[in-house]
């Protein structure tokens, strides 16, 4: 799935230069998170499920930084603020903007030996390479170099691309020790490893060149079948290769028992000077180590795996990842020796999912020791798979606390997810906003064995006290009644209905991935139930209770406001609604999180008209520009984006009038955004029925905007357009008697604006949107 992003440039007449940008929300980390007496320094980085790891100097300061990639999900960047040997990785998402779109795997390796990391990834035809460079701000950027092909096969009708199964991870290392980087990856059957040799040095090409030959079909003389054990000593048939003598020959006859799904980590396990292989299979939860015998047994010969450990490390703590682990050889502690980070390459363990083995080896003596099975995750907010945050003053101290539910933590025993809710108390003091973890199993939710726990709080049974509704992945909901004496004391929530039903006794079921919110949609004074779902719509159940304390919900529509997240797809939309103010006007908007990670903003939810079609205002209304202007494609620019399956909530956390957005994602983590710009306090939204109001249409607009008014007695009206920061972008005058005017808006990019009409001392306002 490709990510959809939007960059907005404002043209400000006589005020700012063309191309200036503005953002409603921007990423923030000012709110501290504490747990067990310690600050969680990476709290807002978004969680981890299937991370891949790479290192490189992202900001040209001489220190190696950490890059984490999750397939088909996101690139995240962590700048090293420490010193040599004592790294301190700080989440710095702005550097991730400078990466092109990456989907299957990502490797940083300096092919041209200029000291700047280059990018290797799955391209259109196999392995592709991007060349790294530093821009004027000393941020690493990448420009596309080429897809890698070879043509040294007898009978080939043209160049052949370097093959790597998209779900596999190849190795990019200098196999032959000549100074240039080669590639080793499993073939299409997943049973032998091909060595794609870089001929840059052999052919005396410039250092910034890559020229590939297929050196052998069977690097390491081993075969990986369905079993943990390698078959050693096999010689492949390389007689179809030109430019090099045959390396091996495959014995005739026999049946190959093979499979696809392999991760290849080539590294010097015993520090003897050759590459050993740590292999992860889609079929197993452990890894197999193959030891290379080229050194010391045959230094001038070819690489050959001569021994193996089928449950690495059998003499220490073996890897246990449920299925398909992948290893990454990176110097994470910056001591000069590369360590191992091991994580699942497939959905499975989603919290203890980063195993860190520190390298204590000395030449010829392997010594790898497990340091942690939750490296990085223990510094984050991470609830396994998916996160559903809400802000609610649980302890009634006047400050909104943070409750986060999820689809659940992975259970190795069953292979299923089991959900919990975490409770973070708002412990902010003036100028020092913070949350402190109180419970990772709020209300003992784990004991209910829920799969999916998306919380919503509000008075759903019409007794004046806030209840709790929890949505589940099967599309159903549970109802926890508040048994407290009043709404001024901490709730006492008790399970009243494990499966919530409507007023007719039918089970409320939205299909899958129920994400509820409690809000008075029809403005009758009673809170209703609105539910997001996997189809991207929002279902609406009206509160028809006539007896305080008795829940009664009537189904009204499966598509409230015709609002849909990710409208271009028909399934897997994962709508997650938030309803409330998101700016200083106090207007209630509908935000819809989406499977793509976008956040959709709609107006109309506060009208009380349940038959209204809501107006889409933005599909991601906060944004940041990439500093690498040479390319502009999905993945380089974004705003509210914290990974797939966004789940937004908004509130004044610090009590200073500034709004924050917390957005959950499918990795079980959350990211934080702070309101950057506000509407001017003098710009209210007038009642549409008020005499002398200004009407604007079409809304959304594109090239021309018509402004219509009535009841203005002054001879002239002044018309202006301002942006969300209160900056005037356009101004003109018109005769009041004309009762309308048409102004050009084609020079304005997509976004929300306010039209201001002034007649004498009276000013009138209305908002409009431009969609591009």
């Amino acid at each position: 799935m490709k990510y959809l992003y939007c960059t907005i440039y404002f043209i400000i007449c006589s005020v700012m230069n063309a191309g200036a940008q503005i953002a409603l929300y921007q990423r923030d980390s000012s709110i501290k998170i504490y747990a067990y007496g310690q600050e969680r320094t990476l709290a807002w980085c978004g969680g981890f499920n299937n991370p891949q790891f790479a290192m490189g100097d992202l900001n040209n300061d001489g220190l190696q930084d950490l890059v984490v990639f999750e397939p088909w999900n996101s690139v995240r960047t962590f700048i090293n603020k420490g010193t040599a040997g004592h790294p301190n990785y700080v989440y710095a998402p702005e550097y991730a903007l400078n990466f092109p779109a990456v989907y299957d795997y990502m490797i940083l390796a300096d092919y041209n030996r200029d000291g700047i990391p280059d990018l290797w990834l799955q391209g259109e035809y196999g392995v592709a390479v991007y060349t790294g460079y530093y821009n004027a701000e000393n941020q690493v950027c990448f420009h596309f170099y080429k897809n890698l092909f070879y043509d040294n096969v007898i009978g080939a009708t043209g160049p052949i691309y370097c093959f790597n199964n998209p779900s596999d991870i190849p190795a990019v290392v200098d196999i032959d020790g000549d100074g240039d980087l080669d590639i080793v990856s499993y073939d299409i059957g997943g049973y032998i490893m091909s060595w794609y040799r870089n001929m840059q040095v052999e052919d005396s090409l410039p250092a910034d060149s890559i020229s590939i030959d297929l050196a052998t079909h069977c690097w390491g003389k081993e075969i990986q079948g369905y079993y943990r054990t390698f078959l050693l000593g096999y010689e492949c048939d390389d007689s179809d290769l030109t430019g090099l003598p045959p390396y091996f020959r495959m014995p005739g006859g026999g049946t190959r028992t093979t499979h696809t799904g392999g991760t290849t980590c080539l590294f010097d396990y015993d520090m003897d000077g050759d590459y050993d292989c740590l292999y992860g299979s889609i079929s197993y939860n452990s890894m197999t180590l193959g030891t290379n015998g080229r050194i010391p047994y045959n230094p001038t010969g070819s690489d050959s795996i001569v021994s193996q450990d089928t449950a690495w490390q059998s003499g220490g703590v073996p890897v246990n990842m449920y299925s398909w682990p992948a290893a990454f050889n990176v110097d994470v502690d910056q001591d000069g020796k590369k360590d191992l980070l091991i994580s699942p390459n497939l959905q499975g363990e989603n919290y203890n999912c980063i195993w860190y083995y520190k390298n204590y080896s000395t030449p010829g003596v392997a010594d790898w020791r497990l340091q942690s099975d939750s490296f990085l995750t223990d510094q984050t907010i991470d609830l396994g798979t998916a996160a559903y945050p809400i802000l609610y003053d649980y302890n009634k101290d006047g400050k909104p606390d943070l409750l986060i539910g999820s689809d659940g933590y992975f259970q190795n025993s069953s292979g299923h997810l089991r959900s919990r809710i975490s409770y973070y108390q708002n412990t902010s003091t003036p100028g020092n906003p913070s949350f402190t973890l109180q419970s990772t199993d709020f209300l003992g939710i784990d004991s209910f064995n829920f799969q999916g726990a998306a919380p919503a709080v509000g008075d759903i049974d019409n007794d004046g006290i806030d209840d709790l509704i929890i949505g589940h992945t099967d599309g159903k909901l549970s109802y926890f009644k508040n048994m407290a004496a009043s709404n001024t004391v901490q709730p006492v929530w008790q399970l009243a209905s494990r499966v919530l039903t409507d007023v007719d006794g039918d089970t409320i079921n939205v299909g899958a991935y129920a994400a509820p919110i409690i809000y008075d949609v029809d403005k009758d004074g009673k809170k209703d139930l609105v539910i997001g779902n996997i189809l991207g719509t929002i279902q609406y159940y009206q509160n028809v209770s006539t007896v305080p304390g008795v829940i009664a919900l009537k189904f009204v529509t499966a598509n409230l406001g015709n609002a849909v997240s990710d409208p271009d797809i028909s399934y897997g939309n994962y709508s997650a609604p938030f309803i409330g103010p998101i700016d200083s006007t106090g207007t209630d908007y509908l935000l819809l999180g989406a499977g793509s990670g976008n956040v959709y903003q709609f107006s109309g939810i506060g009208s009380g008209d349940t038959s209204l079609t809501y107006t889409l205002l933005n599909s991601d209304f906060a944004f940041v520009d990439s500093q690498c202007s040479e390319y502009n494609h999905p993945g380089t620019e974004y705003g509210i984006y914290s990974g797939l399956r966004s789940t937004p909530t908004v509130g004044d956390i610090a009590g200073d009038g500034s709004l924050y957005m917390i957005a959950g994602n499918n990795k079980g983590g959350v990211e934080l955004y702070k309101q950057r710009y506000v509407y001017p306090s003098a710009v209210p939204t007038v009642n549409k029925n008020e005499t002398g109001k200004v009407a604007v249409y079409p809304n959304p607009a594109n090239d021309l905007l018509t402004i219509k008014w009535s009841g203005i007695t002054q001879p002239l009206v002044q018309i202006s357009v301002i942006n969300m920061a209160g900056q005037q972008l356009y101004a003109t005058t018109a005769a009041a008697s004309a009762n309308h005017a048409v102004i050009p808006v084609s020079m304005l990019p997509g976004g929300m604006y306010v039209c201001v009409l002034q007649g004498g001392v009276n000013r009138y306002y209305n908002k409009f949107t431009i969609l591009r």
Side-chain angles (χ1 to χ4, degrees):
M1 183 185 296
K2 294 186 178 180
Y3 309 141
L4 177 63
Y5 306 103
C6 175
T7 301
I8 302 180
Y9 294 91
F10 289 82
I11 300 173
I12 303 177
C13 302
S14 304
V15 178
M16 299 179 67
N17 294 327
Q21 58 182 335
I22 209 79
L24 276 179
Y25 284 82
Q26 63 182 7
R27 290 182 186 268
D28 188 76
S29 58
S30 61
I31 298 178
K32 304 297 184 183
I33 299 294
Y34 297 96
Y36 311 111
Q38 301 291 325
E39 181 184 353
R40 291 198 168 177
T41 56
L42 302 177
W44 303 109
C45 77
F48 302 94
N49 278 355
N50 311 109
Q52 299 178 16
F53 302 93
M55 301 197 74
D57 186 356
L58 302 183
N59 57 356
N60 199 20
D61 66 352
L63 296 175
Q64 292 293 294
D65 307 304
L66 180 65
V67 180
V68 181
F69 167 67
E70 301 229 5
W72 291 86
N73 202 322
S74 62
V75 173
R76 282 171 290 171
T77 46
F78 300 81
I79 295 298
N80 185 357
K81 297 289 188 179
T83 58
H86 298 89
N88 176 27
Y89 298 111
V90 177
Y91 183 44
E94 63 272 19
Y95 290 89
L97 301 171
N98 300 340
F99 282 71
V102 189
Y103 301 109
D104 297 290
Y105 67 85
M106 187 198 75
I107 295 169
L108 289 180
D110 181 13
Y111 79 85
N112 55 8
R113 303 185 287 285
D114 63 356
I116 305 173
D118 304 308
L119 181 63
W120 304 62
L121 49 77
Q122 186 74 21
E124 183 178 1
Y125 302 104
V127 180
V129 179
Y130 286 70
T131 305
Y133 68 95
Y134 291 119
N135 64 12
E137 288 75 31
N138 276 323
Q139 294 185 6
V140 72
C141 297
F142 303 96
H143 63 76
F144 178 71
Y145 172 45
K146 67 178 180 180
N147 292 293
L148 301 184
F149 293 82
Y150 63 93
D151 59 5
N152 66 313
V153 175
I154 296 173
T157 59
I160 304 169
Y161 64 85
C162 295
F163 178 80
N164 182 73
N165 280 303
S167 58
D168 290 1
I169 302 174
V172 177
V173 292
D174 182 8
I175 288 291
D176 51 2
D178 63 355
D180 55 27
L181 292 176
D182 311 300
I183 305 163
V184 174
S185 66
Y186 272 92
D187 74 325
I188 195 169
Y191 78 105
I192 52 177
M193 289 186 285
S194 298
W195 169 23
Y196 301 101
R197 187 181 189 186
N198 187 352
M199 304 297 289
Q200 179 262 317
V201 171
E202 287 77 4
D203 294 343
S204 299
L205 300 173
D208 60 353
S209 305
I210 299 177
S211 178
I212 294 296
D213 275 358
L214 175 58
T216 176
H217 295 289
C218 190
W219 181 88
K221 300 183 181 181
E222 60 85 15
I223 290 180
Q224 171 62 42
Y226 277 124
Y227 307 102
R228 298 177 191 268
T229 306
F230 292 153
L231 300 179
L232 304 181
Y234 273 76
E235 296 187 347
C236 299
D237 184 357
D238 282 337
S239 59
D240 61 338
L241 303 183
T242 60
L244 290 172
Y247 271 65
F248 320 116
R249 298 197 179 279
M250 186 74 177
T255 301
R256 296 171 181 170
T257 304
T258 65
H259 67 92
T260 58
T263 56
T264 306
C265 178
L266 297 189
F267 72 119
D268 192 356
Y269 165 69
D270 47 14
M271 295 183 67
D272 66 352
D274 57 18
Y275 282 103
D276 308 294
C277 176
L278 192 56
Y279 172 79
S281 168
I282 195 172
S283 302
Y284 298 106
N285 61 345
S286 61
M287 302 196 80
T288 296
L289 173 71
T291 304
N292 195 339
R294 181 170 64 84
I295 298 175
Y297 302 119
N298 188 14
T300 61
S302 58
D303 293 293
S304 178
I305 302 300
V306 296
S307 64
Q308 55 191 303
D309 181 351
T310 58
W312 187 83
Q313 49 178 293
S314 59
V317 182
V319 177
N320 185 356
M321 285 279 177
Y322 188 76
S323 71
W324 204 2
F328 305 89
N329 189 210
V330 290
D331 185 9
V332 73
D333 60 1
Q334 298 289 293
D335 67 351
K337 294 191 290 188
K338 289 186 176 182
D339 311 294
L340 286 173
L341 295 178
I342 301 177
S343 58
N345 197 46
L346 192 68
Q347 290 298 327
E349 175 57 58
N350 54 19
Y351 183 80
N352 301 114
C353 59
I354 306 175
W355 290 38
Y356 165 34
Y357 288 87
K358 180 175 172 59
N359 184 358
Y360 288 95
S361 302
T362 56
V365 180
D367 186 0
W368 299 79
R369 304 178 195 175
L370 180 67
Q371 306 297 300
S372 173
D373 64 1
S374 54
F375 178 68
L376 298 180
T377 60
D378 58 5
Q379 292 297 312
T380 70
I381 295 174
D382 193 325
L383 279 85
T385 295
Y388 303 94
I390 64 170
L391 291 167
Y392 175 74
D393 184 8
Y394 173 70
N395 64 347
K396 301 301 179 181
D397 65 352
K399 296 180 290 188
D401 304 305
L402 177 61
L403 300 176
I404 312 174
S406 76
D407 284 354
Y409 294 100
F410 186 78
Q411 306 296 301
N412 274 308
S413 59
S414 64
H416 295 214
L417 300 179
R418 189 160 175 164
S419 296
R420 292 182 179 182
I421 295 176
S422 289
Y423 164 38
Y424 291 82
Q425 181 183 340
N426 190 331
T427 50
S428 300
T429 58
N432 297 289
S434 67
F435 289 110
T436 300
L437 177 66
Q438 303 299 309
S439 175
T440 59
D441 187 19
F442 181 65
L443 300 182
I445 294 297
D446 183 76
S447 65
F448 294 103
N449 198 24
F450 289 150
Q451 292 189 35
V457 176
D459 179 17
I460 199 64
D461 61 4
N462 200 31
D463 64 355
I465 307 175
D466 291 335
D467 307 297
L468 173 68
I469 298 285
I470 296 179
H472 308 304
T473 56
D474 64 0
K476 300 174 185 176
L477 304 99
S478 297
Y479 162 48
F480 288 73
K481 182 176 177 58
N482 191 347
M483 307 303 292
S486 73
N487 216 33
T488 62
V489 298
Q490 183 171 295
V492 179
W493 286 318
Q494 296 181 3
L495 182 63
S497 299
R498 188 177 180 94
V499 178
L500 185 61
T501 58
D502 64 15
V503 72
D504 297 320
D506 296 326
T507 296
I508 297 177
N509 190 336
V510 296
Y513 295 92
I517 190 168
I518 299 171
Y519 179 81
D520 185 6
V521 176
D522 56 2
K523 302 303 179 186
D524 66 351
K526 294 182 288 189
K527 298 288 184 68
D528 307 303
L529 182 60
V530 176
I531 317 168
N533 56 75
I534 197 170
L535 297 176
T537 59
I538 47 175
Q539 294 199 13
Y540 165 43
Y541 284 80
Q542 182 186 16
N543 186 343
V544 294
S545 174
T546 58
V547 179
V550 177
I551 191 169
L553 298 168
K554 177 183 178 181
F555 174 75
V556 177
T557 178
N559 192 6
L560 179 64
N562 293 310
V564 181
S565 63
D566 292 341
D568 294 331
I569 63 176
S570 59
Y571 194 75
N573 312 61
Y574 297 99
S575 56
F578 167 81
I579 305 171
I582 63 169
D583 57 38
S584 56
T585 66
T587 303
D588 283 352
Y589 293 95
L590 166 66
L591 298 182
L592 272 188
S596 65
N598 294 337
V599 175
Y600 293 81
Q601 178 191 4
F602 297 85
S603 64
I605 189 73
S607 67
D609 184 352
T610 60
S611 65
L612 187 68
T613 293
Y614 300 152
T615 300
L616 175 64
L617 300 178
N618 287 289
S619 60
D620 57 344
F621 56 92
F623 39 85
V624 180
D625 286 336
S626 167
Q627 296 299 312
C628 304
S629 58
E630 69 176 271
Y631 53 79
N632 182 12
H633 58 266
T636 64
E637 297 155 0
Y638 62 81
I640 300 294
Y641 185 80
S642 57
L644 305 180
R645 290 184 61 188
S646 54
T647 54
T649 189
V650 178
D652 180 3
I653 294 169
D656 60 0
S658 296
L659 294 176
Y660 291 84
M661 178 184 293
I662 298 174
N665 58 51
N666 73 321
K667 299 183 294 294
V670 290
E671 295 206 15
L672 179 69
Y673 305 84
K674 185 177 182 180
Q675 184 183 11
R676 181 178 179 185
Y677 291 102
V678 300
Y679 284 111
S681 59
V683 184
T685 301
V686 299
N687 189 307
K688 292 184 179 297
N689 296 320
E690 180 181 341
T691 301
K693 71 178 178 66
V694 56
V696 294
Y697 59 89
N699 191 5
N702 191 5
D703 296 323
L704 298 173
L705 180 74
T706 298
I707 302 102
K708 188 174 182 180
W709 62 86
S710 61
I712 297 179
T713 59
Q714 288 78 14
L716 294 176
V717 294
Q718 295 178 338
I719 301 169
S720 59
V721 174
I722 64 174
N723 65 16
M724 303 294 274
Q727 297 161 321
Q728 181 175 287
L729 309 183
Y730 178 89
T732 189
T733 59
S737 60
N739 293 324
H740 79 283
V742 179
I743 64 172
V745 292
S746 58
M747 73 290 192
L748 301 176
M752 186 188 297
Y753 301 87
V754 179
C755 179
V756 182
L757 185 142
Q758 182 164 351
V761 296
N762 297 315
R763 302 178 75 194
Y764 307 95
Y765 312 84
N766 212 333
K767 287 176 286 187
F768 68 95
T769 301
I770 294 176
L771 297 182
R772 299 295 185 209

